[in-house]
Amino acid sequence: MVMLPWENQTTIVEFVLRGFSSNRQLNIFLFITFFAFYVLIISGNILIVLLVLFSQHLHTPMYFFLVNLSFLEICYTSNIVPKMLLIIIAEQKTISVAGCLAQFYFFGSLAATECLLLAVMSYDRYLAICQPLRYPILMTGPLCIRLAASSWLCCFLLTAITMVLLSTLPFCGPNEIDHFFCDFTPLVHLSCVDTSLTETIAFATSSAVTLVPFLLIAASYSCILVAILRIPSGTGRRKAFSTCSSHLTVVTVFYGTLIATYLVPSANSSRLLRKGFSLLYTILTPMFNPIIYSLRNRDIHEALKMCLSKKPAFLLS
């Protein structure tokens, strides 16, 4: 019986996430900074979810999709940041192979779901601006639920294909991952067999859930721009653009950081830069989303004022 080269090596049962630095003082600073960001992300997105749920005038398709996006951001950051904080402050750098694969699966699924949700939100804005009279008929409650559910289900199923292939790979080389979470590229580089099939399928599925939604967003906003330019009054044009400016800003930030991260060369000299770009879409983008929607949205402002003006029940008795 012929023995393959990797069969006489010890199989890895856990990985070591190297994180950012071995400098204790720098790690304390990073921990305080990232913990503050995490609190802002969770509180900001929970606030948006609660405002939409308890404000009747926000029960519209646009805010239904915004609740989905906020809930996604909570799950997205909670999948990565708590473990990252433990790596930084407690130096618990080890993670089991199963835990690492699970973290990658949820990271990939949630990132892909965000792409589809942003595309769905752009379609909603397209109908609202380009077909305002038919909008209530076209964008119904059941359709909103189907679009959101399809986005979640499709991405979790597609990412499961890559995750299953990844879980069948034997990891028998160095067990160190030079990153602060379990991403696809660092994982496949630790396998001791040919990973070309896994990488090809991963590239195909990731392209499907990132490039296709991006093209749909670009097409929607092309139509929106044409429709806005046809509006005769400047006030009308500004009002129409204000209804989609927040979403367009979020799309620009999300796709900008995503593209920058994965276009960075994989050379050793760029690893620190890659970690920095990864922080943009794992921490900064989820933190900016509720800020962007809050600062540029009168409906959110009014809902917040109404909530703050309501007296607690024990004061009314």
Side-chain angles (χ1 to χ4, degrees):
M1 180 177 178
V2 178
M3 182 173 289
L4 297 175
W6 55 268
E7 289 182 332
N8 60 354
Q9 300 183 36
T10 303
T11 302
I12 291 175
V13 295
E14 65 180 16
F15 295 114
V16 176
L17 294 169
R18 295 180 61 181
F20 297 96
S21 171
S22 58
N23 186 296
R24 184 64 180 173
Q25 291 183 336
L26 177 59
N27 282 339
I28 292 174
F29 171 76
L30 291 175
F31 175 83
I32 295 173
T33 303
F34 295 151
F35 180 76
F37 285 165
Y38 182 59
V39 171
L40 289 174
I41 291 168
I42 299 301
S43 57
N45 283 289
I46 287 178
L47 178 62
I48 286 183
V49 171
L50 293 177
L51 286 176
V52 174
L53 288 178
F54 294 107
S55 300
Q56 193 68 33
H57 70 284
L58 296 182
H59 291 180
T60 62
M62 181 176 72
Y63 293 106
F64 171 76
F65 295 127
L66 181 57
V67 165
N68 274 266
L69 186 63
S70 293
F71 178 71
L72 182 146
E73 299 289 18
I74 293 170
C75 299
Y76 184 74
T77 53
S78 296
N79 178 50
I80 294 175
V81 177
K83 179 61 180 177
M84 181 181 71
L85 294 175
L86 285 175
I87 293 172
I88 293 173
I89 198 65
E91 297 187 356
Q92 295 182 12
K93 297 180 180 293
T94 59
I95 183 171
S96 66
V97 171
C100 196
L101 292 174
Q103 187 184 58
F104 160 74
Y105 174 65
F106 285 107
F107 161 71
S109 300
L110 292 169
T113 303
E114 182 160 2
C115 293
L116 285 190
L117 281 177
L118 290 175
V120 168
M121 293 173 77
S122 70
Y123 175 66
D124 172 71
R125 292 300 83 203
Y126 159 76
L127 291 180
I129 294 175
C130 299
Q131 302 188 44
L133 297 179
R134 300 181 61 201
Y135 177 73
I137 301 173
L138 295 174
M139 190 58 72
T140 61
L143 177 61
C144 292
I145 294 173
R146 287 197 297 271
L147 287 173
S150 299
S151 299
W152 287 87
L153 184 61
C154 176
C155 293
F156 272 78
L157 289 177
L158 280 176
T159 309
I161 298 173
T162 302
M163 205 277 290
V164 169
L165 290 172
L166 197 59
S167 65
T168 61
L169 297 177
F171 300 101
C172 49
N175 68 335
E176 286 193 355
I177 298 177
D178 190 11
H179 214 324
F180 58 88
F181 72 98
C182 296
D183 202 356
F184 176 79
T185 303
L187 274 175
V188 294
H189 286 170
L190 295 182
S191 178
C192 44
V193 297
D194 181 26
T195 60
S196 56
L197 176 62
T198 302
E199 292 184 65
T200 301
I201 293 177
F203 177 78
T205 54
S206 61
S207 297
V209 295
T210 54
L211 183 59
V212 173
F214 179 77
L215 294 176
L216 291 175
I217 292 170
S220 297
Y221 274 103
S222 297
C223 297
I224 289 172
L225 180 61
V226 172
I228 290 177
L229 292 176
R230 288 176 179 172
I231 298 175
S233 67
T235 304
R237 286 195 295 270
R238 286 192 296 272
K239 185 178 180 180
F241 181 74
S242 66
T243 63
C244 59
S245 60
S246 297
H247 176 258
L248 184 58
T249 304
V250 169
V251 168
T252 303
V253 172
F254 177 76
Y255 270 99
T257 55
L258 203 63
I259 291 171
T261 301
Y262 290 101
L263 286 183
V264 173
S266 58
N268 292 337
S269 60
S270 66
R271 287 178 182 175
L272 185 60
L273 187 60
R274 183 183 292 275
K275 291 179 188 179
F277 280 124
S278 297
L279 283 173
L280 292 179
Y281 66 81
T282 55
I283 292 183
L284 293 186
T285 301
M287 184 180 68
F288 285 146
N289 286 357
I291 296 174
I292 291 170
Y293 277 106
S294 299
L295 290 178
R296 304 180 62 86
N297 195 302
R298 289 184 179 179
D299 293 333
I300 294 290
H301 291 171
E302 291 177 4
L304 184 58
K305 288 179 181 178
M306 288 176 61
C307 290
L308 294 176
S309 63
K310 290 181 179 179
K311 294 183 178 180
F314 68 86
L315 294 178
L316 298 177
S317 58

